[in-house]
Each structure stands twice: as C-alpha cells, then as structure tokens.
Amino acid sequence: GENVEQHPSTLSVQEGDSAVIKCTYSDSASNYFPWYKQELGKGPQLIIDIRSNVGEKKDQRIAVTLNKTAKHFSLHITETQPEDSAVYFCAAWANTGNQFYFGTGTSLTVIP
Amino acid sequence: EAQVTQNPRYLITVTGKKLTVTCSQNMNHEYMSWYRQDPGLGLRQIYYSMNVEVTDKGDVPEGYKVSRKEKRNFPLILESPSPNQTSLYFCASSWAETDTQYFGPGTRLTVL
C-alpha cells in the first residue's frame, strides 16, 4: 500500500519567517494530496489541497507544491503568525485501495 | 451549522465490554470515514463508506465494525475492546472521497 513520510516532526520559527513541511509518497497512482491543521483538542481541518494535474496551488499565505516525478509535495507558510502554531498533517489518496494515508505530523511552533 | 458530531467525547471502559461510538453529519455527505490517531503514527483509516450500505476496510480494520444504514450516521463498533485500541478516534465526512473532509471533535477511548 501507500507510504507517506513527513518531515520534520517538529519545527520552530520566528514570527514572520517562513515554514516548510515536506512529504513523500510511494504510490504513483495517488492523485489527491490534502494538508490538515490540527489545533490542540480539535479535529484536523483542511487548509489546502492539490491534485496530481497541478504543480502548485496558493491560498494567501499558504501554498502547496507537488512534484509527481519525485513523488513529493510540500506545504509552505509565509509570514508566520503565532496562530499558525499547530500540528500539520499531509495525506495522500491512493486509488489502489481507495483510502487515505497520512503522514505522522509536524508540530509547528511560531515564536512571537 | 454544518458539522460532524461524535459521542461520547471521552470513554473509559474495560477489556471485552462492547461499545459503540456514534458519528453523525448534517451535510448530506456521501463519504464517511473513521480514523484512529496515535502518537508518532499520525492518523490511520479504520473503515470508510462511499454511501448507504456500502462500507470497506481501511488500513487498520481489525477489531472494529461499522454500519451505514442511514446517510447521516456511521457508528463505530468495538465488539470486544482490547487495550491496544486505546486511542483518539475521529469520524470524518465529505461529498466524495477526494473532496474536503470535515472531521468531528474526536473521541478519546481508554480500554483498561
């Protein structure tokens, strides 16, 4: 089945700096890659997603890039703010098996 | 308000005592799913349902059952819980499998 690896597991940045989280996947049939933000005590919330026919997608301070050849995708957060502090998960939808596979999460801390 | 609700939010039980965690969504979504979240492992899909009466196994289905008799409800059943099922459980729903998934608030289960 699909294997999604996520790095780093923890990330601290100064407020205003950028943060980058990277994920790799193994199944070349995967075609949908969402990113979720999970705040303490809450369920994950979708923040951005990308499909395999697109290389990059941006929504204000958040962007995701996808490299299908290398099988990796990244989340970029610019001008970070303290409220960006949370755990972020990447995921991949695998057609083979019809299910989602999640990365192990990145705990982001934005230092004021 | 569009939402996914889960009950109970917290549950402590003993090995072998059957339990059900309910999940309900009010968005008329077709796709529903159960995940478990464990430290260092991210979220892992237990079962999913494409529509009423259509369910299938995810990555970690052992020890769990589900049913989808109505579109809005997708209960998770543990017939004989064991300590290794101690975890944080999330229900999620979406229009289709590769649409935005909306997660419930989570159910923290402890099996003694």
Side-chain angles (χ1 to χ4, degrees):
Chain A
E2 173 69 282
N3 181 44
V4 177
E5 294 190 358
Q6 183 172 346
H7 299 281
S9 56
T10 60
L11 180 60
S12 291
V13 299
Q14 292 288 335
E15 181 177 358
D17 287 350
S18 295
V20 180
I21 303 170
K22 299 182 179 181
C23 288
T24 61
Y25 62 98
S26 60
D27 188 345
S28 57
S30 292
N31 60 4
Y32 174 63
F33 307 92
W35 283 91
Y36 292 89
K37 175 183 181 182
Q38 186 177 25
E39 296 175 337
L40 200 61
K42 296 185 178 180
Q45 183 175 14
L46 181 79
I47 55 171
I48 197 166
D49 57 10
I50 192 167
R51 299 181 190 272
S52 59
N53 58 349
V54 176
E56 184 174 359
K57 185 176 178 181
K58 191 173 181 181
D59 183 4
Q60 299 182 345
R61 297 186 296 109
I62 295 172
V64 56
T65 58
L66 171 65
N67 183 326
K68 285 196 302 181
T69 304
K71 297 199 193 78
H72 68 70
F73 55 113
S74 299
L75 177 71
H76 305 254
I77 306 174
T78 59
E79 300 171 24
T80 53
Q81 301 165 4
E83 51 264 40
D84 293 330
S85 296
V87 178
Y88 292 81
F89 290 97
C90 63
W93 168 262
N95 275 338
T96 50
N98 277 338
Q99 58 183 292
F100 279 100
Y101 292 87
F102 280 74
T104 50
T106 296
S107 178
L108 173 65
T109 301
V110 179
I111 303 165
Chain B
E1 180 192 353
Q3 60 183 349
V4 178
T5 56
Q6 295 179 226
N7 282 292
R9 295 290 313 279
Y10 303 91
L11 179 60
I12 300 174
T13 189
V14 295
T15 299
K17 187 176 180 183
K18 181 180 179 179
L19 67 92
T20 299
V21 184
T22 64
C23 171
S24 184
Q25 50 94 4
N26 62 0
M27 295 168 278
N28 204 35
H29 286 165
E30 296 196 345
Y31 184 85
M32 296 187 74
S33 188
W34 275 102
Y35 298 89
R36 61 177 289 173
Q37 184 175 21
D38 301 289
L41 296 178
L43 289 99
R44 292 179 292 168
Q45 198 165 20
I46 303 170
Y47 268 95
Y48 63 92
S49 169
M50 297 281 200
N51 213 326
V52 176
E53 302 292 2
V54 180
T55 63
D56 211 343
K57 296 177 182 178
D59 212 27
V60 288
E62 294 79 18
Y64 305 94
K65 284 176 56 177
V66 293
S67 69
R68 188 93 181 272
K69 293 184 171 56
E70 306 166 279
K71 201 170 194 177
R72 63 183 296 134
N73 296 324
F74 190 44
L76 179 70
I77 304 155
L78 285 72
E79 295 269 2
S80 183
S82 62
N84 64 10
Q85 292 178 298
T86 292
S87 187
L88 180 58
Y89 291 86
F90 288 101
C91 179
S93 74
S94 59
W95 286 111
E97 56 270 24
T98 56
D99 276 330
T100 302
Q101 280 197 93
Y102 294 86
F103 281 79
T107 294
R108 186 166 291 281
L109 172 66
T110 301
V111 183
L112 302 174

